[in-house]
Amino acid sequence: MRPVVFVIILIVIALLTGGLVAHSTPVRMLLYCGMLVIFLVTFIKAEWGLYILIFSMLLSPEIVVSDTARGSLARGVTLRLEDLLLVVIGLSWLARNAVLKDIGLFLKTPLNKPILFYVIACVLATGFGVMAGRVELKTGALYVLKYCEYFIVFFMMVNHVRNRAQVKRFVLFLFLTAFIVTVIGMFQIPGGERLSAPFEGEGGEPNTFGGYLLFIGMTAAGMAIKIKDPRMRSLLLFFVLCLVPPFFFTQSRSSYLALIPAGMTLALMTEKRVIILGLVSVALLLSPLFLPSVVKQRILYTFNQPQEPDQIVIGDLRLDTSTSARLQSWKDALRDFQKHPLLGHGVTGYPFVDAQFPRVLVETGVFGLVAFLYLLYSVFRLALRHLRETEEPYCRGLITGFIAGFVGLVVHAIGVNTFIIVRIMEPFWFFVGIITVLPMLKQEGLAPAAAPIPRGRQIFTAARQFPARPRLS
């Protein structure tokens, strides 16, 4: 029976290939072949597919699939190469789970319920928006699917990380990708333009690049503080220093603002927190003396822009048009969400709002905002709990840096749609997945990478079996 099925599969593949060759250009055929190779590679060795995905996060071009002035789509609906790769790798992951039934599809973690609530809120809000005519079905569905991509990254990481050696490899490749885009960014500095990540399309997204560099830099800095190996610490400090020039030359004021609480959080979690906090405070006070002039001009531009229409005036201060537009979007969102307070207008059912929290409120209502805040709180609580349960310097450093970067992203989200930006969220959820499984890796030790995790194993159950939690140093 099996030979017959195998022959049928080969015939189907041959027919599909013939049809594609007859109706596709050579470029598309190369793309299809590349996707097939990645599918097979991921099926054979899932870790290799994740490495490919890591490099594609910041090094893949975008494709505008539609453009309309309606709602939040004034900037168009864009897809990037990693979106296609994630679909291919996700399908390969599902196929692998179907064949190797003992791997398990979605492991139970403390984040499953918050993720489910947020996804349900987005789906319900968008569904009602489609029925009411506020949301275009295709566009709303694309945006919701893109939001769900990040959670697929999380579950793939949770399912495939087996030991600390894998964790170190994944972190190395994440940092290596950041170093590559940092070098590319340095070459853009002489041009005088605001820096953005590669392949961002026309205009770029400096705020996105700034948030990404902030998160990666804080994670690396946390590891440098906690790790005892002098050589690794020196490499991490060198990496952080390389991130600084591109970060400043993004001229992203939201990123500059987020750097302050992120740095303070990192200082509070060090052993000599009083000394470090003092040094950070002095550095902030003296920063006008050593910051690049372009950075100081960008900050001062907030208050000294020449008079323009629609500027907000607060006392004697006149805010620039960009800051004024963000404050006005907060005001409009808080006013208009009351028209549909429970489930909002639906994802993409309201004009573009370039700030995360009012956008979530106006698009998904109170239900969606509560689910979103619950998800953020659950991530923070999980990281803080695992920090208390972890003694190894590498793991403590990784979690410490993640917490500082997470605090920075929350502040960054005041003026940017941080938690729906693919180039920030894919690395973020990679790290969330790593941190989620750290206690299980601690309990199991250096298990072989090929050893499958039993179906339905609960990570939070394994965490409860640890020794008493040490106090935070």
Side-chain angles (χ1 to χ4, degrees):
M1 184 65 181
R2 287 185 178 179
V4 175
V5 174
F6 183 70
V7 170
I8 293 174
I9 292 175
L10 287 180
I11 293 173
V12 172
I13 292 175
L15 292 173
L16 290 175
T17 304
L20 288 175
V21 170
H23 297 89
S24 300
T25 63
V27 175
R28 286 190 177 182
M29 281 305 303
L30 287 175
L31 178 63
Y32 296 149
C33 291
M35 293 299 176
L36 178 60
V37 169
I38 292 173
F39 180 92
L40 295 175
V41 166
T42 306
F43 184 85
I44 296 170
K45 186 73 172 178
E47 188 172 336
W48 296 345
L50 290 173
Y51 292 145
I52 296 172
L53 187 59
I54 287 173
F55 281 113
S56 72
M57 288 178 183
L58 273 291
L59 298 171
S60 63
E62 67 177 21
I63 307 167
V64 178
V65 297
S66 70
D67 192 7
T68 174
R70 179 177 178 177
S72 63
L73 301 178
R75 298 187 177 185
V77 181
T78 60
L79 292 176
R80 289 189 170 89
L81 180 59
E82 75 262 29
D83 292 309
L84 300 177
L85 287 177
L86 188 55
V87 171
V88 172
I89 293 172
L91 291 175
S92 180
W93 173 47
L94 293 173
R96 182 180 172 86
N97 278 278
V99 175
L100 305 175
K101 298 182 182 299
D102 55 348
I103 292 181
L105 186 58
F106 296 110
L107 294 184
K108 293 182 180 179
T109 76
L111 299 182
N112 286 28
K113 187 183 296 183
I115 289 173
L116 178 62
F117 286 164
Y118 182 57
V119 171
I120 290 175
C122 292
V123 172
L124 287 178
T126 306
F128 280 104
V130 170
M131 289 187 289
R134 297 186 298 268
V135 178
E136 183 184 357
L137 176 60
K138 181 183 70 173
T139 305
L142 279 174
Y143 268 78
V144 172
L145 288 174
K146 282 178 70 69
Y147 297 174
C148 294
E149 281 183 7
Y150 315 140
F151 306 133
I152 294 175
V153 170
F154 166 75
F155 284 112
M156 289 180 68
M157 285 299 301
V158 168
N159 275 269
H160 288 106
V161 175
R162 301 286 184 268
N163 52 62
R164 292 175 186 172
Q166 275 185 310
V167 168
K168 292 180 179 181
R169 288 197 296 272
F170 282 125
V171 172
L172 173 63
F173 278 93
L174 285 161
F175 285 171
L176 179 59
T177 303
F179 182 74
I180 292 172
V181 298
T182 296
V183 172
I184 295 174
M186 288 182 179
F187 281 106
Q188 299 177 26
I189 292 176
E193 300 292 332
R194 297 180 63 187
L195 301 192
S196 60
F199 310 111
E200 281 286 3
E202 295 184 11
E205 290 290 343
N207 285 330
T208 296
F209 197 32
Y212 168 79
L213 293 175
L214 172 70
F215 176 70
I216 295 294
M218 284 294 122
T219 304
M223 295 174 65
I225 290 173
K226 298 292 184 180
I227 286 176
K228 306 300 182 183
D229 183 1
R231 182 172 176 272
M232 184 176 292
R233 176 180 290 179
S234 299
L235 288 173
L236 286 168
L237 289 175
F238 172 75
F239 172 63
V240 173
L241 289 175
C242 289
L243 298 179
V244 172
F247 174 78
F248 281 132
F249 280 90
T250 60
Q251 301 180 44
S252 168
R253 290 170 294 183
S254 295
S255 302
Y256 298 161
L257 177 64
L259 177 63
I260 299 173
M264 291 294 185
T265 302
L266 188 63
L268 283 171
M269 292 189 290
T270 60
E271 283 76 10
K272 299 178 180 180
R273 57 178 63 88
V274 176
I275 296 176
I276 301 298
L277 274 173
L279 292 175
V280 171
S281 300
V282 171
L284 289 173
L285 291 174
L286 297 179
S287 60
L289 300 178
F290 58 81
L291 284 177
S293 59
V294 67
V295 176
K296 292 184 283 188
Q297 291 172 7
R298 180 63 178 170
I299 295 173
L300 293 175
Y301 182 77
T302 307
F303 310 104
N304 62 13
Q305 181 192 26
Q307 188 170 354
E308 296 284 346
D310 300 324
Q311 288 178 325
I312 292 178
V313 178
I314 303 175
D316 295 331
L317 294 177
R318 184 177 64 250
L319 302 179
D320 70 292
T321 51
S322 176
T323 305
S324 299
R326 281 177 167 80
L327 293 176
Q328 186 62 43
S329 68
W330 274 78
K331 180 181 177 181
D332 293 343
L334 292 173
R335 178 197 66 211
D336 293 339
F337 102 92
Q338 300 176 40
K339 299 176 183 177
H340 309 283
L342 186 59
L343 289 173
H345 292 70
V347 175
T348 73
Y350 187 80
F352 181 76
V353 179
D354 198 9
Q356 183 70 57
F357 299 105
R359 177 166 181 167
V360 172
L361 176 63
V362 76
E363 288 191 341
T364 60
V366 174
F367 180 42
L369 181 62
V370 170
F372 177 68
L373 295 177
Y374 177 44
L375 177 59
L376 296 184
Y377 167 74
S378 299
V379 171
F380 181 78
R381 181 181 61 180
L382 177 70
L384 193 61
R385 187 183 73 189
H386 287 184
L387 178 64
R388 292 169 177 164
E389 295 169 344
T390 303
E391 292 294 339
E392 185 184 359
Y394 183 93
C395 297
R396 286 186 64 82
L398 179 61
I399 300 175
T400 298
F402 171 83
I403 292 174
F406 175 72
V407 171
L409 290 184
V410 171
V411 177
H412 189 263
I414 294 175
V416 184
N417 291 312
T418 307
F419 288 93
I420 60 174
I421 296 175
V422 63
R423 297 202 164 188
I424 298 177
M425 283 297 98
E426 284 190 347
F428 173 80
W429 283 103
F430 252 87
F431 278 107
V432 174
I434 290 172
I435 289 170
T436 301
V437 300
L438 279 180
M440 184 174 63
L441 300 181
K442 177 182 178 181
Q443 182 186 18
E444 294 185 352
L446 296 178
I453 298 177
R455 177 184 291 274
R457 182 158 192 161
Q458 297 188 11
I459 292 175
F460 63 86
T461 302
R464 285 202 297 266
Q465 298 173 1
F466 292 164
R469 301 173 184 171
R471 291 186 178 180
L472 188 62
S473 57

